[in-house]
Amino acid sequence: MQLFEEEVVDRYQQKSVTEMNLSTTMKDWFRVNQVSQVVTLLSQVLQNHAIFESKTVKGTLKVLATLIDWNEISLFDDCRAYIGGFLRASELRAGAFQFMAAFVGKGMSELDKLVIIKESGYLEEVRDARYVLLANYEDNFGSHEYDEEKNYMTAVSNSVCHMGKWTLSAYQPPGSPEDPFKTPESRQYFD
């Protein structure tokens, strides 16, 4: 899946018009014919994460975060059930924050996004994140602990950046006609 991402999906890779058209065709075929089966399989990895190596679960979270960007959000409903717990697991928290960053950056209704954010416990985990300066790991540069902490801090930062961008793009003065949070259901998340 990571190779598929790099070769077909990655929008930041320089490609010719012909390569872009081919990538779009392949991605559309995959979306229609295979992605739901892949997401179901990946969801089963999350559900049974205890029997897999953490490397496998981390890779699963990374692939899911990539798939969120260009697929129907409801495909990931089963996966979301496990993310709250992974946000608190030291070995999996970086991947869980990548997953949440993909959700926060995904185009969807504000109310749906708010529900997903609230249900996952994401805001509490961001609030409670304990950043340990990488300087504390200087003696362990290149160690597993150093790499894990670096990945965690990067994932938290990226997810917070997505949250900030979304919040700024969605904000309108209260009562304005374009206010996406004008419904009582939406406003309750800000009280």
Side-chain angles (χ1 to χ4, degrees), residues 12 15 18 42-43 59 61 65 68-69 73 79 85 100 107 129 131 141 143 146 152 162 167 185:
Y12 303 107
K15 296 178 183 176
T18 304
L42 296 175
S43 178
L61 290 166
I68 288 168
D69 184 43
I73 204 70
C79 300
M100 287 306 300
Y131 289 106
F141 181 78
S143 71
Y146 178 91
Y152 168 63
H162 280 289
T167 302
E185 296 84 12

Side-chain angles (χ1 to χ4, degrees), residues 97-98 100-106 113 122 155-169:
F97 272 101
Q98 285 178 318
M100 287 306 300
F103 263 106
V104 172
K106 175 84 172 154
K113 192 174 292 195
Y122 168 79
V156 171
S157 298
N158 286 336
S159 71
V160 169
C161 181
H162 280 289
M163 178 67 78
K165 287 178 184 177
W166 170 65
T167 302
L168 289 173
S169 71

Side-chain angles (χ1 to χ4, degrees), residues 87-88 97 117-118 120-131 152 156-157 159-160 163 191:
L87 287 169
R88 293 176 280 288
F97 272 101
I117 290 167
K118 186 165 177 91
S120 70
Y122 168 79
L123 293 177
E124 292 80 8
E125 291 306 314
V126 169
R127 182 196 63 217
D128 295 342
R130 304 281 190 256
Y131 289 106
Y152 168 63
V156 171
S157 298
S159 71
V160 169
M163 178 67 78
D191 294 336

Side-chain angles (χ1 to χ4, degrees), residues 36-133:
S36 64
Q37 295 163 345
V38 170
V39 171
T40 298
L41 176 66
L42 296 175
S43 178
Q44 291 172 355
V45 171
L46 298 183
Q47 180 180 2
N48 299 298
H49 66 277
I51 65 172
F52 291 99
E53 293 182 21
S54 66
K55 180 180 177 181
T56 301
V57 181
K58 289 180 203 177
T60 299
L61 290 166
K62 182 177 181 176
V63 170
L64 285 166
T66 300
L67 291 173
I68 288 168
D69 184 43
W70 52 278
N71 286 286
E72 175 60 41
I73 204 70
S74 63
L75 285 173
F76 304 91
D77 288 347
D78 290 341
C79 300
R80 287 191 356 236
Y82 306 101
I83 295 304
F86 294 161
L87 287 169
R88 293 176 280 288
S90 63
E91 285 282 316
L92 302 174
R93 63 189 180 170
F97 272 101
Q98 285 178 318
F99 184 92
M100 287 306 300
F103 263 106
V104 172
K106 175 84 172 154
M108 67 175 86
S109 81
E110 275 64 18
L111 184 57
D112 290 345
K113 192 174 292 195
L114 288 168
V115 168
I116 289 169
I117 290 167
K118 186 165 177 91
E119 286 177 353
S120 70
Y122 168 79
L123 293 177
E124 292 80 8
E125 291 306 314
V126 169
R127 182 196 63 217
D128 295 342
R130 304 281 190 256
Y131 289 106
V132 177
L133 296 175

Side-chain angles (χ1 to χ4, degrees), residues 137-150:
Y137 287 90
E138 277 181 2
D139 294 337
N140 299 322
F141 181 78
S143 71
H144 177 72
E145 292 82 14
Y146 178 91
D147 292 340
E148 284 293 321
E149 200 61 29
K150 182 179 175 185

